[in-house]
Amino acid sequence: MADMPGMRGAGTASTPAPGLKVPATIKRHPQGYLPVRTLNGWTLPYKLKGGVKEFHLVAEEIEHEFAPGSRAKCWGYNGTTPGPTIEAVEGDRVRIFVTNRLGEPTSVHWHGIDLPNGFDGVGGLNQPHIQPGETFVYEYTLKQHGSHMYHPHADEMTQMAFGMMGMFIIHPKDGEGVQIDRDYTFLLHNWALHPGTYRPDPSIMQDFDLWTFNSKTFPAIENLVMRTGERARIRIANLSMWNHPIHLHSNPFWVTGSDGGRWPEAQWRREVTEIVGVGQIRDIEFVATEPGDWAFHCHMAHHTMGPMGHGIPNLVGVDQSGVEADIRKMLPGYGAMGRYGMAEHGGHVAMGLKGPENTLPMMTGEGLYGPIEMGGMFTVVKVRDNQPAGDYRDPGWYRNPPDKIARRISSDPDFGNPPRRDPYGPRQEPAATPAMPKMDHSQHGG
């Protein structure tokens, strides 16, 4: 697979698949609802036949890029993972064709949707499996509204691990009492794509390499943009194998809904971090009060990192003088690192040092002020006073006013006289602030 077209695209800009360009504006649907913006994704078109909305999903093997430098053979729907978002309105009748282009049987479960038992999509229990080459049809009337998902219920461990999932948004027929100005959605997922391999490993239970929003890792994940004073809703669905505490910097948000729809306002609660459990969906809403670039991420620290070596000895505090040359005799390209922490990985990325084939750096992303040192489940909510209503184009980095930004006032480690405690007796002070080690990186990746 290393000879596949585009497989050696490390370091190149991410090129969206055809039809996935971020729209400049999103107009309201003729039925009155505001369509959702699926991060790095798209909404499935439908045909209206005899008052029924017809959608067509195709389960198939696809090529997917998690970020520049890491591509894999995955499974998805209609050419992408996650598959396209399905949008409809409470009371609509939908007819959904599902064609199976995989090499094994599949089915589709409509997660959280109230429907007749024969359409629930558990292969062998509710329906025959959809065999390779076959097309099945699901048809039912939507009795509810809210944020929902679709995914296989056949060889579920493999098919979901390979990326088969998507969002199903049902808008309320009577509108919403508290209006939304921008509506975003994405799915949380995890992948085991071992360095140098080109297919996810479905047998992994914990040691995942890639943590994604809509199958993308930061900085390939799209930013969310909005205007100061607007109200945004973010629908977060979790089909990974881990729970994720999702945290929004800036002002607190309200948790307003789930798979069960938008909750009565009396049930809304104020939070800054919300755990989205496996198989759950949570809707959060907030009104932007301060312009700026605000981090939005999972608060599991290693879920905002790229691939890392699990079980490698901790070298923080270890003097590695001379060890690099000795180890390179056995492992060409080895670089001693980690004595003062792991931040130097960001410097390695900036230097263009090559890592294992078809994998990503542990830390990545450059901001206006330097390395962001993040990866995985991380993106940015960009709030601007002058962002036009309905405009989803990225406004670039926010430049803080000079009087509203943290700034250096000293380079002396002995600055001031801060209160400190020594519960275990006098400490051994370093002679000076430790400097990053000067290492020969010329042979990295050699």
Side-chain angles (χ1 to χ4, degrees), residues 159-170:
Q159 294 185 14
M160 289 179 61
F162 282 0
M164 293 179 67
M165 57 192 66
M167 293 297 296
F168 196 138
I169 306 300
I170 306 174

Side-chain angles (χ1 to χ4, degrees), residues 5-18:
M7 271 295 181
R8 297 185 182 274
T12 60
S14 180
T15 303

Side-chain angles (χ1 to χ4, degrees), residues 67-130:
S70 181
R71 291 192 180 191
K73 279 292 187 182
C74 299
W75 295 358
Y77 296 96
N78 300 60
T80 63
T81 173
T85 297
I86 297 174
E87 288 190 77
V89 176
E90 180 184 11
D92 283 349
R93 189 163 184 84
V94 296
R95 181 180 299 132
I96 306 173
F97 299 102
V98 179
T99 298
N100 183 9
R101 295 176 61 94
L102 301 172
E104 69 169 7
T106 191
S107 69
V108 180
H109 168 59
W110 315 99
H111 188 106
I113 295 180
D114 184 7
L115 38 62
N117 184 250
F119 297 125
D120 194 46
V122 180
L125 177 66
N126 309 124
Q127 67 166 82
H129 289 81
I130 309 173

Side-chain angles (χ1 to χ4, degrees), residues 172-199:
K173 63 182 178 181
D174 297 326
E176 298 183 287
V178 179
Q179 293 297 306
I180 298 296
D181 300 301
R182 298 184 190 246
D183 205 344
Y184 289 98
T185 188
F186 59 86
L187 275 153
L188 307 171
H189 199 40
N190 45 228
W191 311 75
L193 186 68
H194 307 307
T197 67
Y198 294 88
R199 284 186 188 272

Side-chain angles (χ1 to χ4, degrees), residues 232-285:
R233 171 168 50 210
I234 307 174
R235 307 170 189 253
I236 308 161
N238 184 7
L239 283 177
S240 76
M241 295 180 68
W242 212 272
N243 300 322
H244 300 286
I246 301 299
H247 175 57
L248 174 64
H249 294 215
S250 181
N251 50 301
F253 54 77
W254 293 275
V255 184
T256 62
S258 66
D259 314 44
R262 203 183 198 190
W263 301 336
E265 194 167 346
Q267 295 180 11
W268 295 1
R269 50 188 169 79
R270 203 76 159 132
E271 302 284 358
V272 296
T273 303
E274 175 69 7
I275 294 178
V276 185
V278 176
Q280 288 185 332
I281 298 177
R282 288 293 180 266
D283 296 347
I284 67 171
E285 300 178 26

Side-chain angles (χ1 to χ4, degrees), residues 152-436:
H153 237 300
D155 192 12
E156 187 172 340
M157 181 187 78
T158 301
Q159 294 185 14
M160 289 179 61
F162 282 0
M164 293 179 67
M165 57 192 66
M167 293 297 296
F168 196 138
I169 306 300
I170 306 174
H171 298 278
K173 63 182 178 181
D174 297 326
E176 298 183 287
V178 179
Q179 293 297 306
I180 298 296
D181 300 301
R182 298 184 190 246
D183 205 344
Y184 289 98
T185 188
F186 59 86
L187 275 153
L188 307 171
H189 199 40
N190 45 228
W191 311 75
L193 186 68
H194 307 307
T197 67
Y198 294 88
R199 284 186 188 272
D201 183 351
S203 67
I204 297 300
M205 298 297 292
Q206 292 184 350
D207 290 341
F208 298 101
D209 300 303
L210 299 171
W211 304 89
T212 58
F213 288 174
N214 265 12
S215 302
K216 291 285 187 177
T217 68
F218 181 78
I221 300 169
E222 287 179 0
N223 299 313
L224 294 77
V225 301
M226 60 188 301
R227 185 186 182 98
T228 311
E230 286 186 327
R231 186 184 189 91
R233 171 168 50 210
I234 307 174
R235 307 170 189 253
I236 308 161
N238 184 7
L239 283 177
S240 76
M241 295 180 68
W242 212 272
N243 300 322
H244 300 286
I246 301 299
H247 175 57
L248 174 64
H249 294 215
S250 181
N251 50 301
F253 54 77
W254 293 275
V255 184
T256 62
S258 66
D259 314 44
R262 203 183 198 190
W263 301 336
E265 194 167 346
Q267 295 180 11
W268 295 1
R269 50 188 169 79
R270 203 76 159 132
E271 302 284 358
V272 296
T273 303
E274 175 69 7
I275 294 178
V276 185
V278 176
Q280 288 185 332
I281 298 177
R282 288 293 180 266
D283 296 347
I284 67 171
E285 300 178 26
F286 70 101
V287 176
T289 59
E290 290 283 345
D293 293 337
W294 301 101
F296 182 49
H297 60 94
C298 176
H299 221 291
M300 291 274 195
H302 62 292
H303 294 186
T304 56
M305 308 291 280
M308 62 185 76
H310 299 279
I312 292 177
N314 176 14
L315 297 176
V316 174
V318 177
D319 184 353
Q320 302 174 66
S321 302
V323 73
E324 187 173 59
D326 290 340
I327 294 181
R328 276 188 183 173
K329 296 174 183 177
M330 297 176 288
L331 295 173
Y334 172 81
M337 61 187 73
R339 179 178 181 182
Y340 299 110
M342 306 306 292
E344 60 196 278
H345 282 289
H348 295 166
V349 174
M351 293 168 62
L353 297 179
K354 185 180 179 181
E357 187 175 358
N358 200 40
T359 191
L360 296 171
M362 187 173 72
M363 298 178 181
T364 188
E366 288 283 327
L368 183 63
Y369 304 103
I372 298 177
E373 300 179 340
M374 288 289 176
M377 294 177 165
F378 182 97
T379 189
V380 179
V381 176
K382 296 193 171 186
V383 180
R384 300 292 185 271
D385 290 337
N386 58 353
Q387 186 79 7
D391 189 338
Y392 287 76
R393 291 172 295 184
D394 194 310
W397 296 114
Y398 182 74
R399 294 185 178 274
N400 290 280
D403 63 336
K404 293 185 178 181
I405 182 172
R407 64 196 186 281
R408 181 177 61 239
I409 61 170
S410 174
S411 297
D412 179 4
D414 294 322
F415 170 78
N417 187 28
R420 302 161 79 190
R421 292 185 178 183
D422 297 308
Y424 306 109
R427 72 185 76 191
Q428 269 195 324
E429 295 286 0
T433 302
M436 296 297 284

